[in-house]
């Protein structure tokens, strides 16, 4: 495992396209080995001292590389025990990322199983959420989101058909398809609520009825202020940690 990281770091050193600053290069190397599962969630990283020695870097550089990944939630540190690859999916709340990106960054394999992928006329509630006029066409996606075989969330998304003409194009990532049309969300409002999962949601998520869940609503916007998505999600409460950075001003 240590060798995988050292090899990856050395590979990046030889790659002219990679960032020249050592701590950023090391950060990328750690991200890559986690993504490729050379270091599994829950496993420890080599100690700062061992890493510094193996890579010919100063401990300050190693510490700086690790600190950034701790902040992102990819790694966590336990006092006296060392640095570990995070087991729960820790999601910084201030970054507008997709489910697919969050999972891939942790070396997991995101998948969707669809109940619905259709196009139809906007309902009054959807029109309010998306700022659309009555009669406008919308795309509806209803799916269970998996990491490999494990269900993590249920999502119901409504998107104006003007931003996504063909629902059939969405196989796994909605944001990837929106990006292709130049309609990737740039800003979003998100509301989180603790919920107890009812029978239907619990069954789909393979948890007991009444388990803790998180209900998340996201309304995302394009640069020009148009709403591009309204998604209601139910996440399993035992897998996700949402982390927010707070400022005094
Ligand atoms: C998260 C958000 C959803 C968003 C989705 C896009 O799950 N809660 O609001 O629609 O990401 O993810 P993807 O691009 O993987 O479909």
């Amino acid at each position: 495992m240590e060798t995988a990281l050292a090899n990856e770091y050395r590979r990046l050193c030889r790659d002219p396209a990679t960032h020249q600053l050592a701590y950023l290069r090391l950060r990328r190397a750690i991200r890559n080995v986690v993504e490729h599962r050379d270091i599994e969630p829950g496993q420890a990283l080599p100690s700062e001292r061992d890493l510094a020695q193996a890579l010919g870097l100063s401990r300050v550089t190693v510490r700086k590389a690790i600190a950034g990944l701790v902040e992102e939630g990819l790694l966590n540190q336990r006092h006296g025990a060392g640095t570990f690859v995070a087991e729960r999916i820790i999601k910084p709340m201030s970054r507008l990322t997709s489910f697919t990106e969050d999972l891939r960054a942790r070396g997991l394999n995101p998948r969707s199983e669809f109940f619905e992928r259709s196009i139809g006329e906007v309902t009054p509630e959807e029109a309010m959420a998306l700022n659309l006029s009555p009669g406008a066409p919308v795309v509806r996606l209803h799916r269970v989101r998996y990491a490999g075989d494990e269900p993590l969330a249920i999502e119901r998304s409504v998107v104006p058909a003007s931003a996504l003409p063909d629902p059939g194009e969405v196989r796994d990532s909605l944001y990837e398809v929106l990006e292709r049309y130049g309609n990737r969300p740039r800003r979003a409002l998100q509301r989180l609520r603790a919920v107890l999962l009812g029978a239907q949601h619990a069954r789909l998520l393979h948890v007991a009825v009444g388990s803790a869940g998180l209900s998340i609503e996201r309304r995302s916007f394009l640069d020009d202020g148009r709403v591009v998505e309204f998604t209601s999600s139910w996440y399993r409460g035992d897998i996700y940690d949402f982390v927010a950075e707070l400022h005094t001003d």
Side-chain angles (χ1 to χ4, degrees):
M1 170 259 281
E2 207 166 312
T3 342
L5 181 50
N7 287 345
E8 181 61 11
Y9 179 78
R10 291 197 192 101
R11 188 185 71 76
L12 292 179
C13 288
R14 290 191 300 269
D15 179 355
T18 322
H19 215 289
Q20 292 308 301
L21 290 172
Y23 80 94
L24 290 176
R25 211 184 287 138
L26 177 56
R27 212 174 267 178
R28 166 126 315 277
I30 297 174
R31 247 194 231 113
N32 288 352
V33 291
V34 171
E35 217 166 286
H36 298 142
R37 288 285 181 136
D38 292 321
I39 306 183
E40 299 274 335
Q43 269 191 331
L45 232 59
S47 72
E48 270 174 27
R49 196 192 322 141
D50 288 353
L51 270 178
Q53 221 163 38
L55 304 175
L57 297 170
S58 74
R59 285 183 70 170
V60 176
T61 303
V62 172
R63 202 167 302 143
K64 200 164 169 189
I66 289 177
L69 296 172
V70 169
E71 210 164 286
E72 269 179 36
L74 186 67
L75 303 177
N76 50 46
Q77 280 176 319
R78 279 175 242 147
H79 198 67
T83 306
F84 298 82
V85 177
E87 278 184 279
R88 290 169 65 95
I89 298 169
I90 300 180
K91 176 155 176 47
M93 298 231 314
S94 50
R95 302 240 323 270
L96 179 50
T97 51
S98 71
F99 181 89
T100 303
E101 291 161 342
D102 291 343
L103 264 70
R104 282 200 188 132
R106 276 152 192 84
L108 299 169
N109 170 29
R111 255 181 354 100
S112 295
E113 272 179 25
F114 286 87
F115 298 113
E116 185 182 357
R117 204 167 9 181
S118 62
I119 192 156
E121 199 172 290
V122 72
T123 65
E125 291 74 25
E126 290 166 349
M128 302 253 289
L130 296 172
N131 279 344
L132 290 177
S133 311
V138 288
V139 163
R140 296 191 186 92
L141 307 171
H142 186 193
R143 51 189 168 151
V144 180
R145 319 244 24 205
Y146 293 83
D149 293 332
E150 189 162 25
L152 300 190
I154 301 162
E155 288 196 313
R156 230 181 230 287
S157 305
V158 193
V159 176
S162 57
L164 171 67
D166 177 9
E169 279 188 65
V170 184
R171 305 242 163 243
D172 283 309
S173 173
L174 168 63
Y175 282 15
E176 271 173 25
V177 179
L178 287 173
E179 174 120 48
R180 285 212 290 276
Y181 284 103
N183 289 329
R184 174 159 180 138
R186 298 303 298 267
R187 182 174 77 78
L189 283 175
Q190 188 156 283
R191 182 162 82 172
L192 272 84
R193 260 181 314 139
V195 289
L196 298 180
L197 296 167
Q200 201 193 354
H201 287 159
R203 184 174 50 77
L204 292 171
L205 294 175
H206 299 181
V207 293
V209 178
S211 301
L214 275 172
S215 145
I216 302 175
E217 280 178 359
R218 184 184 286 184
R219 221 170 149 230
S220 306
F221 303 84
L222 298 175
D223 266 338
D224 62 9
R226 272 182 299 151
V227 185
V228 69
E229 152 191 38
F230 181 72
T231 295
S232 307
S233 318
W234 293 267
Y235 280 75
R236 271 171 52 185
D238 57 342
I239 291 214
Y240 263 83
D241 279 4
F242 285 84
V243 178
E245 187 178 297
L246 308 176
H247 299 270
T248 47
D249 46 354

